[in-house]
Every structure is written in structure tokens, then in C-alpha cells.
Amino acid sequence: MCPIRISAYDLGHMKSIVLPPSLKALLPLQMHELCQGAFYKKNERLFLTGKKPDWMFYVIAGEVTLERTGLQGESVVLQRTRLGFVSEASLKTAKYHCDGLAITDTNVIKVPITELSGALDRDPDFASRWISMLNTEVKRLRLHCERLSMKSIKDRVLHLINTEGKNGEYQVNTGLKSLAGELGVTHEALYRTLAALEKTRTIRRGEGMLTLTDKP
Amino acid sequence: MCPIRISAYDLGHMKSIVLPPSLKALLPLQMHELCQGAFYKKNERLFLTGKKPDWMFYVIAGEVTLERTGLQGESVVLQRTRLGFVSEASLKTAKYHCDGLAITDTNVIKVPITELSGALDRDPDFASRWISMLNTEVKRLRLHCERLSMKSIKDRVLHLINTEGKNGEYQVNTGLKSLAGELGVTHEALYRTLAALEKTRTIRRGEGMLTLTDKP
DNA sequence: CGTACTTTTGAATCGCATCAAATCTGGTGG
DNA sequence: CCACCAGATTTGATGCGATTCAAAAGTACG
């Protein structure tokens, strides 16, 4: 029952690449060959705030966050992606409104934006699939907002397991410190909350997994 | 310099209606006549969680929130709309994932979902405009998440004025209590924070407007 | 084996939630 | 027109939970 997770590899320029099924099903056929693979080491940035978007990034291994640096220089995590597009919303945008940061070694598929945009205009089925993807993203973001509106860390953690997890199990992929950032709390407070939740047998922990214990 | 704001009217069944320019520009011509006007009194619900979406709601006057009721029965505001679509993300969804609540007397344009979906498949230009709208929404939601990640109420208020306001001015439309909900804080705390910000001359208040005082 | 980072625990502090209550406001009906 | 009510606004007092600062223990990696 260990989580299936592809590790990231640096394959150099990766001339020919294999698209993951989810991306293959989304993109029209003629786009497939225009895609390129890319590798980013931990803490490398895929793109920077203010820069012009040329590629759409589809994460296939590793993990990428969208971050903005606040007024005091602290970074705020807007989104984390382990499988799927980062910055879908930058399709028709002149500049990025946040940074894309690989928080671990990461493989992505790069899709050229100009061609992507053209294909969306030409191919109604593709446009429809793209809209569905954006709909999903909007809902995910609404849930994220809901989570961040909760006052206690305990509530946020349980909400996370319930909405992002499967069958009451949530896989923590890049460490609790990173998760704390996503939940909008300090890592110390998260550690304490998890310890408390474990002591009251509300959740169990193991192998980076947070599991809800079923209560009668 | 008073804010232009259309008040909501109950025009009965409103057989023939006038679409606002923003909606007219978005929808293809043949959709225009399929739209209907509707009026909701304060605290009426446009739709309920779990119900099947038949109409898309475009708010033209008043204000609508998307809300989910948490485990303890408290309601969490996911989104507020004063002009534009509510629940754009429910286009291809079997059921609503939240409630739509008129928090003041509200006029909306109802657009039939089946026809809307068909038009998106047939009309690439329309699909393109729809995608742009979703992109905007995704970005707005990301900013909302960023705001909710801020620890202090002061930071959230200033972020709100900077991102949702115009020229350092933010119009509070439906009361501070409602705004407090959107910011994820209690109304008491918000009142105190605003009073403090006013005392230090960081902001000014008047006529439901929060204005940033320019500092050298 | 040393370095960097994560995880963990400790103690002090502070901001916000909470509960309470007073004032103000607009709208309703006598 | 005024009494009345519901809701919004405001201020006060108290306690809790999260932040903050600090430091120790664990872990991965070269």
C-alpha cells in the first residue's frame, strides 16, 4: 500500500519524451510533439514574477509551488502541484503574477503557450477539456480558501485530509514544514497539533501519511 | 466621486431584460434572448449544495456569496460577487458544491446551462472569452488565499485594499460584518483593527470607503 | 563525520476569539 | 411623530491558541 510516486530524473535535454496519460488525454494530438521535458533541481525556479510566459508547465514528478513574496519579504504559498499544470491561469497573460518554485527535484512537461492558445481557438473539444480543468482548479482553490478561513490548526488539518485525501488518508509528500506553509501556520504549531491529534487518536501517522481513525 | 451602484429591483417576471455590457460582450448573440432576469430578496438562496445546476447566475445588482456550512454549522464564505458570474465552475458539474446566498436584495441574469455549454462547444471565440474569465477567477482566488494566509488582520485589510481596491480605495458594499467574514476574522476584531489603522493614519474611512493614506 | 535541514519540545508573549454589553441605525407600526 | 425592534457598530474584559524565539534531537547526504 505504499504510495506510487515517480521520482524525478535529470535526463538532460530529453529530446523525445513520453507524455503522462492525463496530459495525453487533455492535449490534442498535434500538440504532443511540441512538448518538451525539463528537469529542475530543488529550489530552482521555473519562472519569475513579472516575466512573460512562454511555456505552460505540467508537473509529472516532484513538486512545484506558486509563491509570492509579501511586503516583508516572507513568501506565501498560493498553490502546490504534484501532478498537473502550474499557472494554467497565465495562458493569456502578459506576465506571471507569482513565482514557480520547485520545492524538490522535479520533472515537468513544457507546452508552448502560443501553440496551445492557437489549438484552443481551433479545437472546441480541447477548449472544452481545458475549461473542465479550470473548473476543477477553481473548486480546489475555493476549498483552499475555506480551509484557510478556519481558526484552529486542528480544523485545517482535518479539512485537508477530508478534501485533499483519499478515504481519510492524506499523503504528505514534501515534509511537514512545507505543509505548514500551505496551511498558513508555523511549522512548530503544526507539529504540536499533529502530536496532539495523534495522542487523542484522531489521526495516525506513518510513512508520511496522515490517516483519520474511524470513530464510532 | 460617489460610487455608481445600481440598486436591485423586483420587476416581477421580467420577460424582457437588458443585459449589462460586460455580459453582452461575453455571450454570443444567440444566447442573449435565452437569458432571464431574476430578483432575490436578502437572505434568499439562489441555489443549494447538492442540487443540479440548471442556470448560471450573473449578478448585476446587489451581492451574492458562495457559502459552505462547516462541520459545526458555521458558514464559511468562499466567494463574494457583485458583478459577474457566480458558480462559473459548476458548468459541467452534476451538483453544486456550495450554496449561493443573496446577502442583500439582488438582481441576476440567469443563463441556461445546457445552451451555454452547447454554445461553448460550437463557438471557439466564446470559449476563448470564457477561458479568460476563468483565468481571472483563478487569479482572484489565489490572491484571496494569499490574503487568508496572512497572520494579522491589519495585513489582510491592507492587502485587500491593494488587490481589490482601486487607487488605494476599497468600497465596502455590504457592511463590515460581511467583510469580516470574507477576511476570515470576527467582526469585533475587524472593527478594532480599522479603528487602530485610522488612529495611526494608515487609512481613512468614510461613506463605506476604506482609503489608504499615501505615505512618503 | 560534519553540515544542513527537518522534526521536536520548551517557555514567553501577543493577537485574536469569545462573551458581554452599550450605543447607534434604519425601518415598522401604532 | 414617536415607540419599538432588529441588526450593525463599537467598546470592554478575559482566556486560549498560535506565534515567536530558543534549543535539542533526529535525519539525509557528501
Side-chain angles (χ1 to χ4, degrees):
Chain A
M1 285 298 271
C2 71
I4 297 157
R5 189 71 195 140
I6 307 160
S7 347
Y9 293 103
D10 184 357
L11 299 175
H13 292 310
M14 282 207 291
K15 295 265 197 263
S16 70
I17 48 154
V18 180
L19 301 189
S22 50
L23 185 57
K24 219 174 197 170
L26 175 67
L27 294 179
L29 207 55
Q30 75 272 15
M31 291 289 310
H32 292 191
E33 64 195 44
L34 300 174
C35 296
Q36 296 183 11
F39 171 81
Y40 295 90
K41 277 210 78 66
K42 180 174 176 175
N43 292 326
E44 259 190 287
R45 279 170 207 269
L46 285 66
F47 50 85
L48 299 172
T49 304
K51 297 289 180 187
K52 178 176 166 294
D54 291 320
W55 303 89
M56 293 283 279
F57 298 89
Y58 191 96
V59 182
I60 54 177
E63 189 154 0
V64 175
T65 57
L66 293 184
E67 301 195 357
R68 278 164 55 100
T69 34
L71 299 170
Q72 291 81 24
E74 85 291 2
S75 72
V76 180
V77 177
L78 299 185
Q79 183 69 15
R80 292 170 66 187
T81 307
R82 288 184 298 115
L83 179 64
F85 276 111
V86 175
S87 74
E88 325 82 305
S90 294
L91 180 65
K92 292 157 190 239
T93 310
K95 6 165 135 175
Y96 284 111
H97 61 293
C98 51
D99 286 7
L101 173 66
I103 59 171
T104 181
D105 288 1
T106 297
N107 281 127
V108 300
I109 308 284
K110 299 199 299 182
V111 188
I113 285 199
T114 312
E115 286 78 359
L116 182 69
S117 186
L120 281 172
D121 291 340
R122 264 179 280 110
D123 185 341
D125 280 349
F126 177 37
S128 177
R129 294 194 298 273
W130 194 262
I131 287 173
S132 293
M133 185 191 71
L134 289 174
N135 286 341
T136 304
E137 183 62 15
V138 167
K139 287 183 198 169
R140 199 205 318 279
L141 283 167
R142 293 232 169 96
L143 286 175
H144 195 184
C145 288
E146 178 177 55
R147 196 176 305 132
L148 292 174
S149 294
M150 296 176 163
K151 320 269 186 211
S152 78
I153 299 184
K154 178 189 160 202
D155 286 348
R156 294 191 194 183
V157 169
L158 296 179
H159 184 273
L160 180 79
I161 299 175
N162 281 316
T163 59
E164 297 279 317
K166 293 215 191 300
N167 304 323
E169 287 200 327
Y170 178 82
Q171 176 68 34
V172 181
N173 288 283
T174 41
L176 295 176
K177 206 171 168 181
S178 160
L179 179 62
E182 188 180 350
L183 290 176
V185 299
T186 59
H187 60 275
E188 297 98 321
L190 178 60
Y191 289 128
R192 278 186 255 260
T193 301
L194 289 179
L197 283 174
E198 207 175 11
K199 190 144 65 181
T200 59
R201 305 194 189 293
T202 311
I203 64 168
R204 276 178 291 115
R205 299 169 64 182
E207 300 297 319
M209 188 76 89
L210 300 181
T211 309
L212 223 48
T213 61
D214 337 274
K215 295 216 187 180
Chain B
M1 286 296 270
C2 71
I4 298 158
R5 189 71 196 140
I6 308 160
S7 348
Y9 293 103
D10 184 357
L11 300 175
H13 291 313
M14 281 208 291
K15 295 264 196 269
S16 70
I17 48 154
V18 180
L19 301 189
S22 50
L23 185 56
K24 220 175 197 168
L26 175 66
L27 294 179
L29 206 56
Q30 75 273 14
M31 291 288 312
H32 292 191
E33 63 194 45
L34 299 175
C35 296
Q36 296 182 11
F39 172 79
Y40 293 89
K41 278 208 78 65
K42 180 175 177 177
N43 292 326
E44 257 191 289
R45 279 168 207 269
L46 285 68
F47 50 84
L48 299 172
T49 306
K51 297 288 179 186
K52 178 175 165 294
D54 292 318
W55 302 90
M56 292 284 279
F57 298 89
Y58 191 96
V59 182
I60 54 177
E63 189 155 0
V64 175
T65 57
L66 293 185
E67 302 195 355
R68 278 165 53 99
T69 35
L71 298 170
Q72 290 82 24
E74 84 291 1
S75 73
V76 180
V77 177
L78 299 185
Q79 183 69 16
R80 292 171 64 187
T81 307
R82 288 184 299 114
L83 179 65
F85 276 110
V86 174
S87 73
E88 327 82 305
S90 294
L91 180 65
K92 292 156 190 238
T93 309
K95 5 164 136 177
Y96 285 113
H97 59 297
C98 51
D99 287 7
L101 173 66
I103 58 172
T104 181
D105 288 1
T106 297
N107 282 127
V108 301
I109 308 283
K110 299 199 298 182
V111 188
I113 285 198
T114 312
E115 285 79 357
L116 182 69
S117 186
L120 281 171
D121 291 340
R122 263 178 280 110
D123 184 340
D125 280 349
F126 177 38
S128 178
R129 294 195 297 274
W130 194 262
I131 287 173
S132 293
M133 185 190 73
L134 289 173
N135 286 340
T136 304
E137 182 64 12
V138 167
K139 286 182 200 171
R140 198 207 318 278
L141 282 167
R142 293 232 169 95
L143 286 175
H144 194 185
C145 287
E146 179 178 53
R147 193 175 306 132
L148 292 174
S149 294
M150 296 175 162
K151 319 267 187 212
S152 78
I153 299 184
K154 178 188 160 204
D155 286 347
R156 295 191 194 183
V157 169
L158 296 179
H159 184 273
L160 180 78
I161 299 174
N162 281 316
T163 58
E164 297 280 318
K166 294 216 189 297
N167 304 323
E169 285 200 327
Y170 178 83
Q171 175 69 34
V172 181
N173 290 283
T174 40
L176 295 176
K177 209 171 167 182
S178 159
L179 179 63
E182 188 180 349
L183 291 177
V185 300
T186 60
H187 61 276
E188 295 99 321
L190 178 59
Y191 288 128
R192 277 184 255 259
T193 301
L194 290 179
L197 284 174
E198 208 174 10
K199 189 143 66 182
T200 59
R201 305 196 190 291
T202 312
I203 63 168
R204 277 179 289 114
R205 298 168 65 183
E207 299 298 317
M209 189 76 89
L210 301 181
T211 309
L212 224 47
T213 62
D214 337 275
K215 299 218 187 178

